[in-house]
Amino acid sequence: MTDPLSLTAATIATLAFQKFIESGAGELAKKFTTEAITQMDTLRQRIVTRLQGKSKKLDEALVKAEEGDKAAVEAIGKNLDVVMDESPEFAEEIRVIAREITLNQIQDNSSISQTNYGGTNYQTKTGPDNTNFFGGTHTHGSK
C-alpha cells in the first residue's frame, strides 16, 4: 500500500496526465481500472484549475501535457511541488485522489514456471493472456 505522503508532486502530475502519456486508451486500460481512469480526470482537473493562470509558461505546459509531452508533465510536477508546499490542504486533497488511483492499478498476479526436459527448457507464464513458451537446446561443457 502506498503511503500518501510518499506521493511526490512529480508522481501525482504523472498520474494526472497518464492517459495522455500512454500510447493509447487500450494500454491505459490494461494498467488501471475504470475507476482509476475516472479519478485521473478528477485529479487532472483539480491540478489544472489550481495552476492555470499562474504564468504563461505554465499554461503552455498544461496544454502540452494534454498532448502527451513528458517534459511538460515534469514542469507541471515542479510547479505543483511549490503549490503543495504553499497549500497543505490542497496537497492532502490531491494526495488522497492519487492514492485512490494507485490502489486501483491492475496488478499482474500471474506466476511463471520453468520445466527442463534434457537440454530443452520451457518457460511458461500463466494468467490472463499469458501463454509464452521459450525453449532451446543448450549444451554446456561438451567436448
Side-chain angles (χ1 to χ4, degrees), residues 1-120:
M1 193 175 292
T2 306
D3 176 19
L5 295 177
S6 68
L7 291 168
T8 64
T11 302
I12 292 170
T14 300
L15 282 172
F17 291 91
Q18 189 72 40
K19 75 190 274 184
F20 300 107
I21 296 170
E22 291 291 329
S23 59
E27 291 299 313
L28 188 65
K30 289 179 185 176
K31 297 178 184 177
F32 295 94
T33 64
T34 306
E35 185 179 336
I37 294 169
T38 302
Q39 290 288 48
M40 285 177 191
D41 291 335
T42 302
L43 180 62
R44 188 179 67 260
Q45 277 306 113
R46 297 255 166 78
I47 291 170
V48 169
T49 300
R50 191 64 173 230
L51 297 180
Q52 208 165 31
K54 295 239 181 236
S55 75
K56 186 177 179 180
K57 273 185 137 177
L58 186 54
D59 287 345
E60 289 172 6
L62 290 167
V63 171
K64 287 181 181 178
E66 291 191 2
E67 296 170 357
D69 187 332
K70 291 181 183 179
V73 174
E74 289 177 22
I76 291 167
K78 290 175 184 175
N79 284 277
L80 185 60
D81 192 34
V82 173
V83 171
M84 289 172 69
D85 282 344
E86 293 172 351
S87 176
E89 302 85 27
F90 174 71
E92 180 60 26
E93 176 187 352
I94 63 173
R95 278 193 178 110
V96 167
I97 297 169
R99 182 170 183 269
E100 289 175 15
I101 293 168
T102 61
L103 290 174
N104 286 299
Q105 282 183 297
I106 297 173
Q107 298 178 6
D108 181 5
N109 292 326
S110 60
S111 62
I112 194 163
S113 62
Q114 182 171 1
T115 309
N116 300 321
Y117 294 108
T120 304

